[in-house]
Amino acid sequence: MRNKLYIDGKWVEGLSGEMIDVINPATEEVFAKVPAANAEDIDKAVGAARKAFDNGPWPKMEGRERAAYLRAMGKRIEERLKELARIEVLDNGKPLPEAEWDIGDVAACFYFYADMAEREDIKQEEIIELQDKRFTSKAVTVPLGVVGGIVPWNYPMLMAAWKIAPALAAGCTIVLKPAEQTPLTALEYGAIADDVKLPAGVLNIVTGFGSTAGQALLDHRGVDKLAFTGSVPTGSKVMQAAARDIKRVSLELGGKSPFLVFEDSDIDEAVEWVMFGIFWNQGQVCSATSRLLVHEAIYDKFLEKLAAETAKITIGNGLDEGILLGPLVSEKQYLQVLAAIGQGKKDGAKILTGGKRAKGFDKGYFVEPTILVDVPLTSHVWNEEIFGPVVAVRPFETESEAVHLANHSRFGLAAAIMTKDLKRAERVAGQLKAGIIWINCSQPTFVEAPWGGFKQSGIGRELGRWGYENYREIKQITSYVSNRPWGWYSK
Ligand code: ADP
């Protein structure tokens, strides 16, 4: 395990000497330590990224040259997939097959943005048709600058890839700060950068706490853009810090996404998607479909099946075979999730299944998959993101009631619809206020498609060409082509 910062192409100690314990959430053991970077370390890293952007070759390269580096990084990640997935499980707790998906997606993200970096239609100048024929004009895009990327602990390597790959493809340089709970796979990006001989300073990885290293990155005047994934309160701090220098900002924040199950749904299929939508990654997913709305005609039958299938979920150490649900990431998260369930009960919700620490473990942050019914509309569990394996359920009578309930949220990241009536699916999809709508599924994510939310779920979109454009600045180039003098004072 790496235990240094990766700055300017070198592995260096943190200046304060303070280290962060990295805890395996399945065993509660400290199995690694990484530096707790301070503001001076951040200053060094931003300085390196600044120098690489202002004086280095990276932003000036042809897209196809950058593409070759990105492709080599993707290849290296693929070669190390099994090993990186194991590190992710030790750090985050998720089941190994899910970690392997993640790392596969990380490699795919690098390949996708390698292709984008060399695509002509992305770089091509766009000629602007002016009415005034004395001028010609074109719009071009250029690399934006130095990026400060801050990512959370739920998909540590993948959320970092969603920032690093498009930023590098677009010609930016980056300082990335992973979450203090899960820093290890982020540091592996440093090793991968070394392997492919990425120019020094283009990619810098600085581990540290949010309030110190994170805040120093937000506040640093050498950073041009902040790219953040995490909670709404921290997202708000990112925007506040960005405001002083008018830094560019993109935010991917929380959600309380609804899943609407209509009466014509295939119950078996719907149950599997509903379970996947809330229990994969232990429910620690920003797009988790954590508010379940089921048509009253199938409500009882659906819940019976959902409870029966949920009871079969195998819980345990993510490295063990056949596990579907691992521990939550940290003690803090574990206590918060149990507290939210307790608050739900106080508010009048009933526990259909789960609700407690999982049985049979003396160590580890295991929480049973939990279904809450009769959940009051005003309750905390209905309105707030729990970020755990907890789904809140309510029945509905009509389509318009379902849409109204679904939209009644300060979040708007995702929504899912289950129905055999495709006209209805399209109609409801058109009415839901969310950045991602899933029809007859929940959660599949594609590097080609835009990802991000309405309302308090964020600003901007990641992935696809939208992700690339996040890291470009637009420039208008206009020429005076008339033979005549301009005529302000000359004639
Ligand atoms: P959570 O509460 O689930 O940990 P956060 O939004 O606080 O979610 O964390 C997401 C990321 O934001 C982490 O990398 C964390 O260290 C970082 N972070 C937390 N607070 C700040 C802050 N004040 N400034 C910058 N980064 C922060």
Side-chain angles (χ1 to χ4, degrees), residues 361-375:
F361 300 95
D362 349 317
K363 290 272 176 204
Y365 310 125
F366 296 98
V367 174
E368 292 173 333
T370 301
I371 303 169
L372 298 174
V373 294
D374 299 342
V375 182

Side-chain angles (χ1 to χ4, degrees), residues 12 75 167 189 192 231 239 258 313 318 392:
V12 296
K75 182 158 175 283
Y189 279 114
I192 290 157
S231 64
M239 262 187 114
I313 288 178

Side-chain angles (χ1 to χ4, degrees), residues 117-330:
E118 62 189 0
R119 262 172 53 186
E120 284 308 314
D121 59 330
I122 291 289
K123 286 178 300 187
Q124 227 170 34
E125 306 170 347
E126 189 181 331
I127 304 298
I128 312 291
E129 270 304 324
L130 299 179
Q131 301 240 4
D132 188 334
K133 301 299 173 200
R134 293 174 302 168
F135 300 88
T136 61
S137 189
K138 62 183 179 183
V140 300
T141 76
V142 295
L144 197 153
V146 173
V147 177
I150 296 184
V151 291
W153 44 257
N154 59 341
Y155 293 90
M157 196 162 190
L158 187 59
M159 291 301 104
W162 286 16
K163 314 255 178 293
I164 295 171
L168 296 193
C172 291
T173 61
I174 183 165
V175 176
L176 183 99
K177 192 204 83 65
E180 52 271 35
Q181 298 85 347
T182 56
L184 296 174
T185 46
L187 287 175
E188 293 306 317
Y189 279 114
I192 290 157
D194 276 348
D195 290 342
V196 306
K197 303 196 168 44
L198 197 71
V202 169
L203 171 63
N204 306 274
I205 310 289
V206 183
T207 53
F209 292 105
S211 55
T212 48
Q215 190 69 43
L217 187 56
L218 302 186
D219 290 334
H220 201 294
R221 293 212 120 116
V223 174
D224 300 304
K225 180 197 161 77
L226 298 168
F228 175 77
T229 301
S231 64
V232 173
T234 307
S236 175
K237 287 184 189 163
V238 175
M239 262 187 114
Q240 286 173 49
R244 186 195 62 195
D245 300 328
I246 322 292
K247 289 187 174 91
R248 276 69 184 136
V249 56
S250 51
L251 304 174
E252 206 270 88
L253 308 177
K256 189 74 188 180
S257 299
F259 199 142
L260 284 58
V261 179
F262 286 94
E263 65 280 12
D264 61 351
S265 304
D266 177 308
I267 291 198
D268 291 347
E269 277 176 29
V271 162
E272 182 168 7
W273 282 115
V274 163
M275 289 173 67
F276 184 67
I278 186 61
F279 298 138
W280 82 305
N281 211 35
Q282 297 65 246
Q284 302 165 127
V285 183
C286 51
S287 58
T289 29
S290 53
R291 285 188 297 146
L292 175 60
L293 292 155
V294 183
H295 192 272
E296 58 171 8
I298 57 165
Y299 188 75
D300 291 337
K301 201 171 154 199
F302 186 87
L303 283 191
E304 197 183 314
K305 174 87 183 173
L306 181 65
E309 292 301 318
T310 299
K312 296 181 199 159
I313 288 178
T314 45
I315 306 175
N317 187 322
L319 289 177
D320 293 343
E321 193 129 335
I323 295 300
L324 283 181
L325 198 90
L328 298 187
V329 72
S330 65

